[in-house]
Amino acid sequence: MKITDITFGMLRVPLKTPFKTALRTVDRVEDIVIMVHTDSGNIGYGEAPATAVITGDTHGSIVDAIRHYISPRLIGEDVANLNRLTQLIQGAMEKNTSAKAAVEIAIYDLFGQLYNAPLYKLLGGGDPVITTDITISVDYIDKMVADSMAAVERGFESLKIKVGKDIGVDIERVKAIYAAVEDRALLRLDANQGWTAKQAVYALQTLEDAGVRLELVEQPVKAHDLEGMRYVTERVHTPIMADESVFGPMEVVELIRMRAADIINIKLMKTGGISNAIRIADIAAMHGIECMIGCMLETSISVAAAVHVAVAKADVITKIDLDGPSLCLFNPVEGGVIFNESEITITDAPGLGIREIRGLEPLEA
Ligand code: MG
């Protein structure tokens, strides 16, 4: 199975409700979809969103990176040589992790098709059912309480509460949601870099003293402030998770060396795809550190890839934040991973099992 061409499409899907964090507000998914064509007629699918405020990747940069730097290295290569292909992708250029992720996802999809097995089985197997949390966007307190209650009614047992705006209001937000939800769901906070280290310690100690128990708090401080992250981690009981602070395996090694956080959030768009996500999971497992697997605003193409990784590495990836598909108004993808609110199931279809993508707009070659 030799790679013959890579083509592009744009996939637009409205969100059920606007996605609001300390960094941005978004009301629809708008992702680049790539199709890796082969001489056997098999097509591998990949996807990447533009997340300029986190990865620096834009739609233009993703397409350009793939078209001019990654694709020329892959044309004519054999899908069977997976490790060689991931090295070609990762070595094509610096950074551009979302572009690399989209291509790796498509290559792993083809690798599964080549051996006629769902990807998670080729990554080591596992129980093909996982449970995800759902994001509650940052908003007025009453709205966040109502959204949280609605999510609990939909069967979600973990809520990821976006905070990081105004520290006083953030504390009230969390107290109100905690009181309303009672013990029907675990609460995870994501401050998206919105606090200083001292503010984070103050907020978390205040919440701890008020009896609010949180499963974890994600990225309280700025991405580059590892010292600040360590300052918070040392001073609160609540587990601290690094998200924007860690992209690839090298940063994970540094974070662990510094003991700057308790948990690591793996996202394919930060790692540059599946090969480095697996490396991070293995490094974390060696050090007895748990991981979450998360996603950007992605649909069930790239999120499906994350699901396969999560299942195969379930011993260390113990927390799932793959709510992209459930935030979308509809699922444009007919595929091998079934997203049913909090429950995600993988079928026996080879690779990612993607059969159809509805509404995909072709992009000029
Ligand atoms: Mg986050």
Side-chain angles (χ1 to χ4, degrees):
M1 190 186 287
K2 287 210 166 72
I3 296 168
T4 54
D5 195 13
I6 297 183
T7 56
F8 301 86
M10 176 69 82
L11 185 59
R12 294 186 170 93
V13 186
L15 297 176
K16 285 174 186 159
T17 52
F19 183 85
K20 298 181 190 174
T21 76
L23 293 175
R24 59 194 179 132
T25 296
V26 184
D27 58 14
R28 65 175 175 177
V29 170
E30 220 169 356
D31 289 3
I32 300 289
V33 172
I34 70 153
M35 286 140 284
V36 176
H37 303 265
T38 61
D39 60 0
S40 59
N42 294 70
I43 299 173
Y45 293 93
E47 171 187 2
T51 313
V53 292
I54 298 170
T55 65
D57 297 301
T58 64
H59 291 143
S61 76
I62 291 164
V63 173
D64 197 77
I66 297 172
R67 187 173 280 155
H68 297 298
Y69 293 86
I70 302 174
S71 178
R73 296 184 136 210
L74 299 182
I75 304 298
E77 290 287 334
D78 197 324
V79 170
N81 298 325
L82 179 67
N83 290 347
R84 172 178 162 78
L85 298 184
T86 60
Q87 281 169 26
L88 287 172
I89 295 164
Q90 299 304 320
M93 63 201 308
E94 286 297 309
K95 303 192 190 291
N96 288 274
T97 51
S98 302
K100 291 172 183 172
V103 182
E104 271 209 3
I105 289 165
I107 297 295
Y108 276 85
D109 181 16
L110 287 170
F111 192 68
Q113 294 178 42
L114 176 65
Y115 293 110
N116 201 31
L119 180 55
Y120 79 94
K121 290 193 176 176
L122 298 179
L123 298 179
D127 180 3
V129 185
I130 56 175
T131 306
T132 183
D133 63 11
I134 191 164
T135 301
I136 305 298
S137 283
V138 63
D139 216 310
Y140 300 108
I141 293 178
D142 290 352
K143 169 89 168 101
M144 291 182 77
V145 169
D147 288 349
S148 299
M149 298 304 287
V152 170
E153 290 302 314
R154 283 164 65 190
F156 287 94
E157 291 171 353
S158 297
L159 308 182
K160 179 144 147 182
I161 314 291
K162 293 287 190 183
V163 290
K165 295 288 258 193
D166 173 293
I167 193 89
V169 183
D170 280 339
I171 293 169
E172 295 311 313
R173 284 182 170 106
V174 178
K175 281 185 182 170
I177 294 168
Y178 188 76
V181 167
E182 293 175 328
D183 49 9
R184 284 174 292 168
L186 289 174
L187 300 190
R188 303 167 171 172
L189 296 196
D190 189 354
N192 285 110
Q193 312 178 46
W195 295 334
T196 65
K198 288 196 175 200
Q199 283 177 327
V201 170
Y202 166 72
L204 297 178
Q205 287 181 347
T206 303
L207 288 167
E208 285 170 4
D209 291 347
V212 174
R213 282 221 299 281
L214 301 170
E215 187 188 5
L216 57 90
V217 174
E218 181 171 351
Q219 197 66 46
V221 300
K222 290 269 178 288
H224 298 294
D225 188 11
L226 279 190
E227 293 286 350
M229 183 97 77
R230 174 164 69 181
Y231 179 93
V232 180
T233 301
E234 283 173 347
R235 284 165 180 77
V236 300
H237 297 293
T238 309
I240 301 297
M241 180 166 73
D243 181 8
E244 290 96 315
S245 287
V246 285
F247 272 48
M250 295 298 280
E251 286 137 342
V252 166
V253 168
E254 178 64 8
L255 183 100
I256 291 173
R257 195 190 62 74
M258 284 181 64
R259 297 177 180 274
D262 304 296
I263 309 168
I264 291 157
N265 191 345
I266 300 172
K267 290 178 180 164
L268 299 182
M269 296 303 142
K270 294 188 301 175
T271 60
I274 294 171
S275 62
N276 275 336
I278 290 167
R279 272 187 198 103
I280 291 174
D282 290 343
I283 292 167
M286 277 171 55
H287 291 87
I289 289 188
E290 288 180 56
C291 296
M292 171 180 275
I293 193 159
C295 58
M296 306 294 187
L297 284 170
E298 301 165 41
T299 76
S300 41
I301 303 168
S302 50
V303 177
V307 172
H308 282 269
V309 173
V311 164
K313 292 287 172 186
D315 59 324
V316 58
I317 300 176
T318 56
K319 298 166 198 307
I320 311 294
D321 176 29
L322 297 176
D323 63 350
S326 41
L327 298 175
C328 290
L329 195 56
F330 56 86
N331 183 0
V333 182
E334 195 93 33
V337 176
I338 313 295
F339 294 87
N340 181 20
E341 298 285 26
S342 64
E343 191 180 273
I344 305 174
T345 317
I346 307 180
T347 70
D348 266 336
L352 299 178
I354 292 164
R355 296 184 298 276
E356 190 191 352
I357 303 170
R358 287 177 290 269
L360 189 63
E361 305 159 31
L363 290 178
E364 287 294 299

